[in-house]
Amino acid sequence: MRYSVLMQPVNEPEFEGYYYAHIPSLDLTTHGLGIEGALRAAQDLVEAWLTEKYAHGEPVPTESNPVIA
């Protein structure tokens, strides 16, 4: 499955170089060092979130045209 990820720099001095990674369709947010780090964190978060949903038989939202931005 693919989900859109919106990137935003963290604007706090102690987190210089970090980015937020928002996954709007799942209402999830994480962060990581640099864009690549934030994308890896987002992928790990989505995989863990999906595993939990599937384990409990809960529905999982889909996205018709995911975009990575």
Side-chain angles (χ1 to χ4, degrees), residues 44-66:
D44 291 345
L45 178 59
V46 168
E47 288 174 6
W49 188 88
L50 289 173
T51 298
E52 280 295 307
K53 290 292 185 182
Y54 290 137
H56 292 98
E58 298 176 28
V60 174
T62 59
E63 209 174 320
S64 58
N65 294 313

Side-chain angles (χ1 to χ4, degrees), residues 1-2 7 11 13-15 22-23 28 31 34-35 41 43 51-52 56 58 66:
M1 259 184 233
R2 290 182 161 253
M7 306 301 290
N11 292 320
E14 62 272 11
F15 290 100
H22 304 285
I23 304 102
L28 299 173
H31 67 281
I35 291 174
Q43 183 176 2
T51 298
E52 280 295 307
H56 292 98
E58 298 176 28

